Amino acid sequence: QVQLVESGGGLVQAGGSLRLSCAASGRTFGNYAMTWFSQAPGKEREFVASISWSGGNTIHADSVKGRFTISRDNAKNTVYLQMNNLKPEDTAVYYCAARFGTSSRSIFTRLNDVHYWGQGTQVTVSS
């Protein structure tokens, strides 16, 4: 089993920044890609950003390009989401997710590709 624990959420004014962290523990053997999803109230969970095991391949949703950056530190089994210039529409619960058995450059964006989920962290952006 693998456990994912997010942290770093909170309340911030529009234009502000937050950095989310997701620490993996347990049977974290082999390569695994990591992805952040978000779920706003009354909406479906959606893709935000994904990063490959090597860290050399990343992808960001169009809505966050230029504002959010995903990164990882494999020595710490941790993935990050740096969120800058936050907007009220970014308000959501943010979930990290892992997919194991990937190549060093694989990423994933679909909910069905997730092997493990974190419990989520709330991000609230006030106008």
Side-chain angles (χ1 to χ4, degrees):
Q1 270 289 21
V2 173
Q3 294 78 43
L4 303 176
V5 179
E6 300 99 332
S7 61
L11 173 64
V12 63
Q13 288 189 329
S17 297
L18 286 173
R19 189 175 83 152
L20 305 184
S21 299
C22 173
S25 62
R27 297 178 61 84
T28 55
F29 307 135
N31 294 356
Y32 56 98
M34 296 290 291
T35 296
W36 287 97
F37 294 89
S38 67
Q39 187 166 18
K43 295 188 176 181
E44 294 186 348
R45 197 168 297 189
E46 62 183 19
F47 165 76
V48 176
S50 185
I51 188 166
S52 63
W53 165 252
S54 69
N57 193 15
T58 62
I59 184 171
H60 297 78
D62 288 344
S63 60
V64 306
K65 277 181 183 177
R67 300 189 300 120
F68 293 8
T69 303
I70 191 171
S71 62
R72 69 188 296 163
D73 183 343
N74 287 344
K76 297 181 179 179
N77 287 331
T78 300
V79 66
Y80 305 96
L81 186 67
Q82 179 65 45
M83 311 166 72
N84 297 331
N85 191 22
L86 282 158
K87 304 176 180 180
E89 51 263 44
D90 295 321
T91 295
V93 178
Y94 284 75
Y95 298 90
C96 68
R99 178 174 176 82
F100 279 73
T102 62
S103 72
S104 63
R105 287 188 56 81
S106 293
I107 56 173
F108 68 100
T109 64
R110 301 181 305 175
L111 298 175
N112 287 345
D113 290 335
V114 174
H115 289 164
Y116 297 98
W117 287 100
Q119 84 288 351
T121 186
Q122 176 70 47
V123 171
T124 303
V125 185
S126 63
S127 57

